[in-house]
């Protein structure tokens, strides 16, 4: 069984790769490469897989799930300029894809125990664009 918790945060970012020249960044990312940054209202959907506990009836303690996501993700990302304040985005482009990988790595150890397992991280950068990450090879 899968259970999904959704949270939101606001953050700004610059889409610019240090491995590319200024011109290449401009051609690839356009206005999103502007070094002053721009903001998004992100949504994160964290899906945990497991079987309902015979006593509690829950895949995992929902309060614990909420607390872990807030502590490990929302408090880290919310109202931050990702490129300057949230490693590894000082050297990795903070695309939705890379944010999904980072969120997975922040949550996996906390959620994959006691019979449950992190199944998916979905990052909405805008209401009509999202990425899904299932762990493993990026
Ligand atoms: Ni953007």
């Amino acid at each position: 069984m899968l259970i999904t918790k959704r949270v939101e945060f606001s953050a700004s970012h610059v889409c610019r790769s240090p491995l590319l020249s200024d011109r290449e960044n401009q051609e690839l990312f356009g206005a999103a490469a502007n070094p002053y940054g721009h903001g998004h209202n992100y949504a994160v959907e964290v899906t945990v897989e497991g079987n309902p506990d015979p006593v509690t009836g829950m895949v995992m303690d929902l309060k614990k799930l909420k607390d872990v996501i807030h502590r490990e993700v929302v408090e880290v990302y919310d109202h931050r300029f990702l490129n300057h304040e949230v490693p590894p985005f000082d050297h990795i482009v903070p695309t939705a894809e890379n944010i999904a990988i980072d969120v997975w790595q922040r949550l996996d150890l906390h959620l994959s125990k006691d019979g449950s397992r992190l199944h998916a991280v979905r990052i909405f950068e805008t209401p009509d664009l999202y990425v899904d990450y299932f762990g493993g090879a990026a």
Side-chain angles (χ1 to χ4, degrees), residues 13 15 32 38-40 42 94 125:
H13 71 169
C15 286
H38 62 275
H40 293 285
Y42 292 90
E125 187 170 88

Side-chain angles (χ1 to χ4, degrees), residues 6 13 38-43 96 122-131:
R6 178 185 173 98
H13 71 169
H38 62 275
H40 293 285
N41 294 317
Y42 292 90
R122 175 172 286 184
I123 305 289
F124 285 83
E125 187 170 88
T126 60
D128 59 0
L129 178 71
Y130 64 83
V131 301

Side-chain angles (χ1 to χ4, degrees), residues 57-102:
M58 296 191 290
V59 169
M60 74 170 289
D61 182 327
L62 292 179
K63 183 176 186 306
K64 188 176 154 195
L65 176 61
K66 179 181 168 185
D67 288 348
V68 166
I69 296 170
H70 273 267
R71 186 184 73 232
E72 301 295 330
V73 178
V74 177
E75 288 177 19
V76 172
Y77 276 80
D78 196 29
H79 290 80
R80 299 293 177 182
F81 194 155
L82 299 181
N83 306 67
H84 298 291
E85 298 183 275
V86 183
F89 302 118
D90 52 335
H91 63 283
I92 291 175
V93 192
T95 56
E97 293 91 325
N98 283 334
I99 291 172
I101 294 168
D102 185 60

Side-chain angles (χ1 to χ4, degrees), residues 12-28:
S12 54
H13 71 169
V14 178
C15 286
R16 167 178 288 271
S17 171
L19 302 177
L20 300 175
S21 69
D22 285 349
R23 181 177 167 175
E24 288 170 324
N25 273 301
Q26 187 64 40
E27 285 179 0
L28 183 61

